[in-house]
């Protein structure tokens, strides 16, 4: 099975370790350990561990050299990191229209001329299945994919089962299908709920994954049917190997996590956030699990604070240290395990759906990827157009630099740049971006063979939850170089840019 885990490439550190993905309030399932500062751009160049790819081209620190070499045997290409560009959130509108095709075509041609490997696009559930259950309309996405294919670019397609809007960088609002929201009006417990009863309509609660509440279908069946319809209606693009990557959305913002820190409900950094398991379905699940464990008296936490509290102000994390009690540990294990089971189910359905297709299967989950022989890919959380930002991404993509004699010690399987825009295509910004692409490719010419993949294979038997938890314990961090050896330029280059810009703007 070819699978990927993707990062949000933050100003990742010189050392990095990955920890147990317990999505506690105010945290995401991924933690990094930074051993030295990176100045002021940690907040701005956050990278999302977005995709995880396990397959024939997986990268690991102790893998044999030939495993990481390119298919042609060209060891120089083994340093090549494919670069994809994320398309605009509203490239297909909420009304399922594809406007500005001419403008996008010009932009894609420019990307192709700069030797970008491909594009990433959200395929919104709330657009395609908006009219009613199983009433899929792929027409606008087919037009978009045809345009991308005509421009000679590859496609990473995201099965986006979440709402667009409410997260950082979201300038577009696309809700989940209205017929789902209508069911939620009668049964609001289908949505994630905090202790005070506030609902979050970004994504269905994992408590309804296996309950036939949606016209006789479960949530997992809905996601599975959607992916099957995608394969049927996009079969020509899959067969042409234009679509090379399928990412399965697993939660808010597509990530395998709870919506623990929603800005729409007043959360602000560095608030601790809140647990999101107080809908009746998750309450019942916890009660059954506690009773089975011999503690029918246990209930969900009532002392974990609110969104903008700090840990020490709560009983759960503060002086009372409830999280260290038998009850607290049981709750946190249950809370984390529900996420793991949710992700496992959806990825299993995706694997069965795209079996035999020449695609990688991706998800925003992560756990010691390089150690587990899993390919990692990255995505910047916020747009950057400056050399310092690009140099940090290059360092994250190849933490120990290029190896001129063969494969690098560590390398990401790909990076997605967020996002295509008019500002990116401004002359000065695009000139630096093209240099960035060259350095991502390790100064090699564009090579489509790097993105070639073998047919997707059947996933292996389900791993017991105890083994999964054991595998997510902290691991020894990987060392990071001080700076990239494939720089797009330094501060001096920035000064020269300003100098030339000044004189070019002087009237004759």
């Amino acid at each position: 099975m070819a699978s990927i885990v993707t990062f949000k490439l933050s100003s990742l550190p010189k050392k990095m370790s990955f920890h147990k993905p317990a999505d506690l309030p105010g945290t995401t399932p991924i933690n990094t350990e930074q051993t030295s500062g990176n100045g002021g751009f940690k907040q701005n160049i956050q990278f999302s561990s977005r995709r995880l790819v396990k397959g024939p081209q997986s990268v690991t620190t102790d893998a044999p050299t030939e495993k990481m070499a390119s298919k042609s045997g060209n060891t120089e290409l083994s340093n090549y990191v494919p670069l994809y560009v994320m398309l605009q959130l509203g490239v297909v509108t909420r009304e399922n229209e594809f406007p500005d095709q001419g403008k996008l075509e010009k932009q894609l041609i420019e990307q192709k001329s700069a030797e970008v490997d491909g594009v990433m696009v959200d395929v919104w559930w709330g657009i395609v299945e908006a009219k009613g259950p199983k009433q899929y309309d792929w027409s606008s996405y087919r037009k978009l994919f045809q345009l991308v294919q005509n421009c000679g670019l590859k496609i990473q397609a995201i099965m986006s089962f979440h709402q667009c809007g409410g997260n950082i960088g979201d300038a577009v609002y696309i809700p989940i299908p209205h017929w789902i929201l209508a069911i939620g009006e009668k049964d609001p417990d289908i949505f994630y709920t905090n202790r005070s009863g506030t609902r979050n309509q970004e994504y269905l609660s994992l408590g309804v994954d296996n309950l036939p509440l949606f016209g006789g279908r479960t949530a997992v069946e809905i996601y599975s049917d959607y992916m099957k319809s995608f394969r049927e209606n996009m079969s020509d693009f899959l067969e042409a190997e234009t679509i090379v990557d399928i990412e399965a959305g697993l939660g808010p913002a597509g990530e395998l996590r709870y919506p623990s820190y929603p800005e729409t409900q007043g959360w602000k950094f560095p608030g601790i956030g809140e647990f999101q398991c107080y809908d009746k379905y998750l309450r019942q699940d916890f009660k059954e699990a506690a009773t089975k464990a011999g503690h029918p008296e246990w209930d969900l936490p009532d002392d974990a604070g609110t969104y903008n509290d700090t840990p020490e102000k709560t009983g759960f994390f503060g002086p009372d240290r409830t999280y260290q009690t038998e009850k607290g540990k049981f709750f946190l294990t249950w809370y984390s395990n529900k996420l793991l089971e949710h992700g496992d189910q959806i990825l299993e359905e995706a694997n069965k759906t795209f079996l035999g297709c020449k695609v990688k299967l991706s998800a925003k989950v992560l756990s010691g990827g390089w150690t587990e022989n899993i390919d990692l890919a990255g995505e910047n959380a916020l747009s950057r157009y400056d050399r310092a930002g690009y140099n940090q991404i290059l360092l994250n993509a190849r933490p120990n630099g290029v190896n001129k004699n063969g494969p690098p010690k560590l390398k990401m399987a790909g990076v997605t740049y967020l996002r295509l825009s008019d500002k990116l295509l401004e002359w000065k910004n695009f000139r630096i971006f093209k240099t960035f692409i060259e350095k991502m490719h390790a100064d090699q010419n564009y090579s489509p063979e790097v993105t070639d993949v073998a047919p997707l294979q059947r996933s292996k038997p389900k791993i017991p939850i105890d083994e999964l938890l054991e595998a997510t314990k902290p691991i020894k961090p990987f060392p990071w170089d001080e700076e990239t050896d494939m720089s797009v330029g330094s501060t001096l280059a920035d000064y020269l840019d300003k100098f030339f810009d000044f004189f070019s703007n002087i009237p004759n």
Side-chain angles (χ1 to χ4, degrees), residues 366-470:
L366 175 70
S367 147
W370 276 320
T371 296
E372 297 297 327
N373 197 27
I374 293 173
D375 281 358
L376 305 182
E379 173 188 320
N380 55 308
L382 300 176
S383 294
R384 292 285 295 266
Y385 309 100
D386 58 296
R387 288 186 172 87
Y390 289 136
N391 285 339
Q392 187 64 46
I393 295 174
L394 284 160
L395 177 60
N396 294 338
R398 286 183 296 258
N400 305 125
V402 164
N403 181 359
K404 298 187 184 299
N405 299 313
K409 184 178 180 182
L410 297 173
K411 185 193 76 170
M412 286 193 169
V415 168
T416 300
Y417 175 82
L418 188 150
R419 118 179 16 255
L420 182 60
S421 66
D422 291 336
K423 187 170 183 179
L424 173 65
L425 295 174
E426 290 176 5
W427 179 81
K428 174 187 173 183
N429 291 339
F430 198 54
R431 180 166 56 86
I432 299 173
F433 184 69
K434 287 192 286 187
T435 303
F436 168 62
I437 296 169
E438 292 173 6
K439 300 304 179 183
M440 287 295 297
H441 293 170
D443 288 334
Q444 304 295 306
N445 293 329
Y446 166 72
S447 178
E449 71 179 75
V450 176
T451 57
D452 289 348
V453 292
L456 189 65
Q457 299 176 11
R458 192 70 180 91
S459 56
K460 295 180 180 179
K462 187 173 182 178
I463 301 173
I465 195 70
D466 291 343
E467 291 184 30
L468 284 176
L469 293 177
E470 181 67 25

Side-chain angles (χ1 to χ4, degrees), residues 317-334:
F317 296 106
D320 295 345
R321 305 180 79 82
T322 305
Y323 76 98
Q324 290 190 336
T325 65
E326 182 185 6
K327 175 184 175 181
K329 291 178 180 178
F330 178 85
F331 165 73
L332 292 176
T333 300
W334 170 84

Side-chain angles (χ1 to χ4, degrees), residues 28 86 95 119 156 210 255 292 355 385 392 444:
T28 64
M86 174 74 85
E95 294 75 28
V119 298
Q156 296 175 318
N210 301 299
E255 299 167 357
K292 187 176 180 180
L355 190 65
Y385 309 100
Q392 187 64 46
Q444 304 295 306

